[in-house]
Amino acid sequence: MAITRYYLFVTDTGLTLWQGDAAHLAEAVRFEAHPAGVAEFELLVASQPKAQWHVVLDLQEEDYRIETVPHVNARDRAMVMRRRLDQLYRESHYRSATLQGREPDGRRDDRVLFAALTNRLPLDMWLQPLVKRDAQLVGVYSIALLTARHLRKVTHIPPRALVVSRQAGSGLRQSYLAEGGLRFSRLTVLEGDDHEALANQLAAEAARARQFLASLRAVDRTEALQVVMLCSTTEQAALRAACPDTELLHYHFMPVHQVAHALGITVAPEQATAEPFWLRFVASKRPGNQYATADQRKPHTAWQIGRALRYLSVAILVGTLAAGAVITRQTSALEQQSQVNEQRRQAAERLFAANVPNLKEGELTPSGMKNAVNAYRTLVEQWPALEGAMRDVATVMARFPMAELDEMGWLVGSNPAELPQGFATPGQTPAPVPAADPNAVDVNGMPLAPPPGKRYVIVAIKARLLGYEDRYREALALVDQIAAAFVLRPDVVVEKITLPIDIRPEASVKLGGDSAEQVLGAPFSLKFVIPLTPPTPAEATS
């Protein structure tokens, strides 16, 4: 459903209502600033309960002050500005603070433009019907503040200039822009609309403005003031001829449609007043609110939250549907894969039944004999004799009488990084070894034994060096000698699992005898890995 939007232009003499989209915004009706006009406006508001309202004003009693505040973070800056607004404009609800940059030297304080409507009545007259009806008030915008914030971006306007514009129903708005901000702004009633009267009033107002700026030392006494008048293309030449430059005043006549084009807005070349341009700017660019209070904007804020929640609900629904579609596709793919696996299983069963003859109990086929031999060979590899390893351990330990053997463990495996049970240190995980294919079968459909691979006898011992409890340097040297003694063959690998003292960089050394459990001797543990040579075919069949 399309949203109805109204744009109101408020002056001291009345209110003009504009309607349409940003590109075709047009004046619809005007209400005079008296009780009858307000009553007519109330009827319109009552007939449009779902409409959104944007207000642009150009009023006489609008005050501006530029002050510097310390440069602080955003939260503290908001508190400082709110406190200063309370001090400056305690009686006004319509006020704002706009950051205009920082000082170039010293502490580099922030320059802030404080603005407020010192007379609330001309605006309250039109906002009260909206507030009573809980209408969606989007924002209240001042032409002076819009000029200060956005016209400084137009490259054809000098960086220090008095910008003069006409607004129907309000008069001549004069705003002096310098150093990227507004220095002062005032509104005068338009005395006449013909070229000669407009040129005479422009020259008089420009002279007064220059005298005021010179008194503030905003311009040097000998500096020429750049005056930029916004007008239409049809009156540009006539105004240029009626306002010749002087030693202290230089005039620039810029068409309104040229300024509008620089800010991305389209107006007709014959447009002479500036309020249509600013209304279209508000309609298309949606600048931030300036004067509307939080209470006045509550209905619109609630509408925004509700719309965001609706969009979020739609997004969640779309995401849920998308996730459901993905899960459905995955489920279908799994069902198809399950059917394929079932077909393969049935085919394997048929192949097995076709290739394996029905044998009586005790009979064995050649393939069965071969598999039995392979199974026996695997069993021999997995469970070799331990006598040799025990003999090696006894021989080495006999050479070192100060070493007392406490525990010994052994295993046979294909991963030399494994440790017997009870010897692994916390966090130590042996590297995995690729597993053989469990589905491999021979030509007769019988399972194949895994191919012989490299296997190892892994022996680990725990021992103590008696009499070396506090002689750590000598104990470490003895452990090195014992480890070297276990290298009985070139292919044997010896690894020190634990040492009498933990010498890792991240370890901590506990000294003294405060422990309740005292261990005699300097404990250590070693592991040595002996490659296990697979038996030859002759050995396997003998």
Side-chain angles (χ1 to χ4, degrees):
M1 183 176 179
I3 300 174
T4 303
R5 294 184 174 91
Y6 291 106
Y7 301 87
L8 309 179
F9 179 57
V10 178
T11 66
D12 290 289
T13 59
L15 177 147
T16 306
L17 184 141
W18 295 65
Q19 191 175 6
D21 57 24
H24 305 91
L25 200 62
E27 181 178 347
V29 62
R30 177 172 173 79
F31 303 96
E32 297 298 330
H34 53 67
V38 175
E40 293 177 5
F41 179 66
E42 287 180 343
L43 293 176
L44 174 64
V45 174
S47 65
Q48 300 291 335
K50 301 297 183 181
Q52 295 182 356
W53 305 82
H54 303 71
V55 180
V56 178
L57 59 87
D58 193 25
L59 300 174
Q60 288 276 357
E61 297 180 76
E62 190 174 4
D63 185 66
Y64 316 94
R65 298 189 185 189
I66 297 177
E67 297 188 3
T68 58
V69 299
H71 181 71
V72 292
N73 58 51
R75 179 183 176 184
D76 293 341
R77 183 188 301 121
M79 295 176 59
V80 170
M81 290 184 178
R82 186 164 54 250
R83 187 181 304 113
R84 188 56 181 154
L85 284 172
D86 290 338
Q87 295 171 350
L88 294 174
Y89 308 112
R90 184 177 301 275
E91 301 301 326
S92 177
H93 296 297
Y94 303 112
R95 56 196 186 182
S96 69
T98 306
L99 184 64
Q100 292 195 320
R102 300 181 63 180
E103 292 293 316
D105 49 20
R107 295 188 312 176
R108 302 202 62 204
D109 291 340
D110 293 331
R111 286 197 306 272
V112 181
L113 172 63
F114 296 99
L117 292 178
T118 55
N119 183 6
R120 300 166 42 189
L121 295 180
L123 183 59
D124 277 342
M125 180 186 306
W126 306 108
L127 293 190
Q128 284 179 356
L130 298 175
V131 175
K132 288 180 181 179
R133 296 283 181 175
D134 288 332
Q136 294 187 36
L137 180 60
V138 179
V140 177
Y141 312 94
S142 164
I143 283 186
L145 297 183
L146 290 173
T147 301
R149 185 174 181 84
H150 300 287
L151 285 197
R152 63 185 180 182
K153 303 175 184 178
V154 180
T155 56
H156 300 291
I157 297 179
R160 296 162 58 88
L162 180 69
V163 179
V164 183
S165 63
R166 278 179 294 173
Q167 286 73 233
S170 59
L172 283 180
R173 168 63 63 179
Q174 307 161 49
S175 302
Y176 182 66
L177 307 181
E179 301 173 357
L182 178 71
R183 299 302 298 272
F184 94 98
S185 181
R186 65 173 181 158
L187 179 65
T188 57
V189 178
L190 192 63
E191 298 175 355
D193 204 26
D194 60 284
H195 297 161
E196 183 178 358
L198 180 61
N200 292 337
Q201 186 176 0
L202 175 63
E205 294 297 334
R208 293 192 191 97
R210 194 201 174 283
Q211 184 178 5
F212 175 71
L213 291 171
S215 66
L216 296 179
R217 296 184 181 180
V219 297
D220 294 337
R221 294 193 175 275
T222 58
E223 177 185 356
L225 177 64
Q226 307 297 320
V227 181
V228 179
M229 175 68 188
L230 306 185
C231 59
S232 66
T233 54
T234 56
E235 62 186 2
Q236 185 178 10
L239 291 175
R240 174 74 270 181
C243 294
D245 292 343
T246 66
E247 183 178 356
L248 298 180
L249 295 174
H250 292 174
Y251 294 95
H252 308 267
F253 296 93
M254 186 173 297
V256 173
H257 80 92
Q258 182 179 349
V259 177
H261 179 72
L263 295 181
I265 308 300
T266 302
V267 296
E270 60 272 13
Q271 183 65 50
T273 58
E275 78 276 3
F277 153 62
W278 286 120
L279 288 166
R280 291 185 178 181
F281 181 85
V282 169
S284 60
K285 304 300 182 180
R286 308 288 176 85
N289 169 63
Q290 294 168 354
Y291 282 149
T293 64
D295 289 339
Q296 292 172 340
R297 297 184 71 243
K298 272 184 180 179
H300 180 64
T301 303
W303 175 82
Q304 287 179 313
I305 294 173
R307 183 179 62 171
L309 291 176
R310 288 194 297 271
Y311 287 161
L312 180 61
S313 301
V314 172
I316 292 174
L317 178 60
V318 172
T320 303
L321 293 176
V326 171
I327 293 174
T328 301
R329 288 196 299 269
Q330 292 177 346
T331 303
S332 177
L334 289 175
E335 290 178 353
Q336 294 177 1
Q337 184 63 36
S338 177
Q339 293 175 0
V340 171
N341 291 337
E342 179 63 21
Q343 293 173 359
R344 290 179 179 175
R345 185 189 65 79
Q346 294 175 1
E349 289 180 351
R350 290 193 297 269
L351 179 62
F352 179 79
N355 289 277
V356 176
N358 294 324
L359 300 176
K360 298 180 180 179
E361 185 178 355
E363 293 181 348
L364 192 62
T365 62
S367 297
M369 294 179 61
K370 179 179 179 181
N371 289 332
V373 171
N374 289 336
Y376 174 75
R377 177 181 178 183
T378 303
L379 185 62
V380 171
E381 291 180 4
Q382 291 180 347
W383 302 101
L386 186 60
E387 291 82 354
M390 292 287 291
R391 199 166 38 248
D392 294 340
V393 172
T395 301
V396 173
M397 296 302 291
R399 294 172 51 188
F400 298 91
M402 74 290 294
E404 181 175 332
L405 185 62
D406 290 335
E407 185 179 347
M408 176 178 173
W410 76 293
L411 61 85
V412 176
S414 57
N415 186 0
E418 287 186 279
L419 281 170
Q421 186 175 3
F423 284 82
T425 57
Q428 185 175 3
T429 303
V433 177
D437 184 6
N439 299 322
V441 295
D442 60 11
V443 294
N444 296 321
M446 299 299 292
L448 286 177
K454 193 76 171 179
R455 303 187 67 79
Y456 306 88
V457 175
I458 302 171
V459 180
I461 64 169
K462 292 183 180 179
R464 291 175 294 148
L465 297 175
L466 300 177
Y468 285 82
E469 291 85 349
D470 299 322
R471 300 158 60 188
Y472 294 114
R473 187 183 299 276
E474 299 177 19
L476 291 175
L478 271 176
V479 172
D480 291 339
Q481 295 178 23
I482 295 172
F486 274 111
V487 185
L488 301 173
R489 288 165 30 190
D491 55 353
V492 175
V493 177
V494 179
E495 178 184 345
K496 289 175 279 189
I497 303 175
T498 60
L499 295 173
I501 183 172
D502 196 344
I503 59 174
R504 294 175 299 171
E506 67 275 12
S508 60
V509 179
K510 296 182 179 179
L511 302 177
D514 296 336
S515 175
E517 181 181 356
Q518 297 294 331
V519 179
L520 297 178
F524 68 94
S525 58
L526 301 175
K527 179 187 83 171
F528 56 96
V529 181
I530 306 172
L532 181 63
T533 304
T536 63
E539 295 172 342
T541 57
S542 60

